[in-house]
Amino acid sequence: MRRGYRGGTSATPVPTHPADAPASDAGGSSVQQSEAESEFIPQFDDHGDENSFVPLRRIRSSQEVLIPNHEADMDVITGWLYNGPLQRAKYEDFSTIDWIYDGTKARHYKSDLRAQTRGMGRWGRLSLLADSSKSWVVLLAVGVTMGLIASCISVSSQWLIDVKSGYCRTGFYLNRRFCCWNADDVCLDWVTWSELLHVHWRWLDWLIQCMVFIFDAILFAGISTFLVTEYAPYAAGQGIAEIKTIMSGFMMRKFLGLRTLCIKCVGVVLSVASGLSLGKEGTMVHIACCCGNIYSRVFGKIKHNEVKRRELLSAASAAGISVAFGAPIAGVLFSLEQVSYYFPAKTMWRSLFCATAAAVTLKLLNPFRNGKLVPFQVTYDRTWDLFELWFFVTIGLVCGVVGMLQNRLTLYLMEYRQRSVLKNFARGEVVVVALGTALISYLSVYLRADMVTLVSNLFTECTGQETDGLCGHKDRAGNVASLLVTSVLRVLLTSVACGLAVPAGMFTPSMATGASIGRAFGMVVQTMHENHASWRLFAACRPDVPCITPGVYALVGAASMLASTTRMTVTVVVIMFELTDALIYVLPIMLAVTVSKSVADAFGKDGYFEGIIHLNGYPFLSMDQEYVLHGSSDELMVRASEMTVVTATGETLQSISELLRESPFSGFPVVRSRESMQLLGYISKSDMAMVAKRARISSLHTDASPCCFAHGSNVEPPSTQLQVVDFRPWVDSTPITISHGTNINLVAETFRQLGVRYLLIVHHGALLGIITKKDIVRVVRMQSRNYARAALPPLLAWFSSLPSRQTDSPLPQQQHGRPPILSSESPVL
């Protein structure tokens, strides 16, 4: 028999049966109560209709708790404290979940299930096994679905990309690679659009192909942005920043819904085929989480518990990286390093299971018909020498700076969109950017090729077959210059494309930029070795054997660039290892990734995803960063004089309704009286609104009905015809409190480690103020901004301050209707 709320204990045990009633002090006789009074209470459905009386011991969830008007002791009341938790109001959109409540709810569910199955023998064990297998069924479904979706997206996007240049005579549905599967040098089955029109002039052939290329780019981008802006705005972008925020406990309804999933899958195919400097790999994480959220709705155990749902979403995100790069181990590490906010040990095993299921499904489908999970998987036959480590370190330095600049420029352009008129012309902006990108890309063979093919060619080891001038000896200097120019243009185009109203990511563009820089650097070193093989630097190279492999330099550059933009380390190394299947290249990649991340961190600890979180004002506290704040809780809290509180007694249904209608706050402290301000608990606005709504539609209540919020409070109804509305089961009688004067660093750690939504500041039981999670987030951002300005030179500080002009909250109502209490000159900092 449970006697507490969220792990607490009630003040006075309440008998649930007349036989359990305590004896009175006078004469030892039992308290005389009628059976109707002691064993039954009226129950109401969602429409306020009174049902038949239900025995107390059978109640599992009460929709409304009423206090009979003849009861003098307010503690003698049936409640969910003894018969299971009440139905709480759903979390509102753009609110934070209660980690402690949902965690306790999950433990109670498991305890109740074990109690119910105790003594059932084999059937009890089967029931427990069936209940524990629900999570595995969801993860298996997510893995298989992600394998199917990844195959469809890869094949469809490649076909649309090839359609911009021609079509297959033997089958219009075939892309160029499958159409020319058996062709040696010349593919006669692939027909370009100029050949279809029987054009023989070279300049006219180039013009027709260019016009078709540009027209298809505009068409695909226009359709993609129309679908996003019209049907699913949450499908825009990569989605990883929002997923990180959701994992931390933030509610964003419809972000992981079915409509978002469908538009994301279709839109990413169109946006990638349009030629925008965007990739499809990053979107796989969002798609995988959408699948996990949709499948979790099948089981009420997961559907109604936000903590359990987030555990599954953490595991499902691993499947996205698994199918994006053909790297299931990297998917598990990505979930741990980048996405998850709460990652218990069992989630790692679940992540591996889900990632493996996705990779096996993709392997069985074999969409590329070459046994590879992704097109740019490569194999190297050569090793590297010790002297090349210096070159790898140099690549890490360069890519670290370039990645930092790309992040700053991207975030600056995103912020500019938010505060300019461009936000009102999202579709037109996409069309203009697609037009400009197509015009620029068609002039360069490296930009015109799709990024998956480009990265695959840059990674490829030269074996005598020419690949767009990457393996030839003629005009090598021109090819190096072209690769460097391509890198600069790729950074600019990626910075402009990120933030458009189309679904796409930045993993592949970053890898393409780094691979171009690395390949150019490798070709320079290769030329130095060929012309000056007698140098002491190349003494370790054997004669008549190729010593330098530019493809390895491209691989190192791609890893360095990806690490500098995302601030991931172990995940990037494992991704590259699983792409090459060669353990020998792990050390160069690790060294370059370490150098690149260190250089990028010198300009700011936040990566691309954290920058988007700060730009959009999401309430996110990173578990990776250390916060060094100055001050105490007294300087940060909202004082009690500025707050709206409710008293344990003295409130009526009309005053509560007016409070809910006028107050912008998301919750209210419960005090004994406004004079003493003695704290008794805390109730959320959504729960209060739910109880008040059901009381108003009941025939037993009027606007004058008194309300009760605390145990041990005597409330006398003004009339015998009125019932007291009891809010006590929804009041958190043991909220987390701290003493006044607590160090602000301890306050920040409490929010970050416990995941609480608010902290109440008390002194000897009296309420002094409240601190919310958004207050701490605001202070942390101010600290980061001021630190960057003080620690960096003026020019670098300018780059660091580009994304700093952000809003403090995605929605104005989340600021509780009060102006910010902090500024850059606040004593807290």
Side-chain angles (χ1 to χ4, degrees), residues 131 464 508 584 672:
D131 181 77
T508 309
I584 194 173
R672 187 168 301 278

Side-chain angles (χ1 to χ4, degrees), residues 233-311:
Y234 279 143
Q238 193 161 235
I240 295 180
E242 287 77 9
I243 290 174
K244 286 171 65 72
T245 308
I246 291 174
M247 294 297 184
S248 69
F250 196 58
M251 293 294 297
M252 296 182 68
R253 301 195 181 278
K254 298 183 180 180
F255 185 82
L256 301 176
L258 180 60
R259 178 180 295 184
T260 302
L261 172 64
C262 297
I263 299 300
K264 191 89 172 184
C265 293
V266 177
V268 71
V269 173
L270 295 170
S271 59
V272 170
S274 66
L276 292 171
S277 187
L278 298 168
K280 62 180 182 296
E281 282 71 23
T283 60
M284 294 297 179
V285 178
H286 187 188
I287 293 174
C289 289
C290 287
C291 294
N293 180 66
I294 293 171
Y295 287 135
S296 66
R297 299 174 184 173
V298 177
F299 304 107
K301 165 188 173 182
I302 307 171
K303 177 181 179 181
H304 301 298
N305 194 299
E306 294 297 335
V307 172
K308 287 293 183 181
R309 188 197 300 267
R310 276 154 180 77
E311 290 180 4

Side-chain angles (χ1 to χ4, degrees), residues 377-454:
Q377 280 185 323
V378 293
T379 302
Y380 298 114
D381 298 328
R382 306 169 189 168
T383 184
W384 56 276
D385 293 303
L386 190 61
F387 72 89
E388 294 183 90
L389 290 179
W390 297 105
F391 300 128
F392 296 146
V393 170
T394 305
I395 293 175
L397 287 170
V398 174
C399 290
V401 175
V402 174
M404 179 273 301
L405 293 176
Q406 177 177 301
N407 281 356
R408 297 299 181 187
L409 181 58
T410 302
L411 295 174
Y412 173 76
L413 293 177
M414 287 183 178
E415 182 193 10
Y416 180 77
R417 288 189 183 98
Q418 292 182 0
R419 55 186 176 86
S420 66
V421 296
L422 288 177
K423 62 183 178 182
N424 300 324
F425 303 95
R427 299 177 184 177
E429 182 188 10
V430 171
V431 172
V432 172
V433 173
L435 173 61
T437 302
L439 288 173
I440 297 174
S441 300
Y442 198 79
L443 302 177
S444 172
V445 63
Y446 298 125
L447 290 174
R448 184 167 66 247
D450 64 283
M451 277 178 288
V452 173
T453 303
L454 175 63

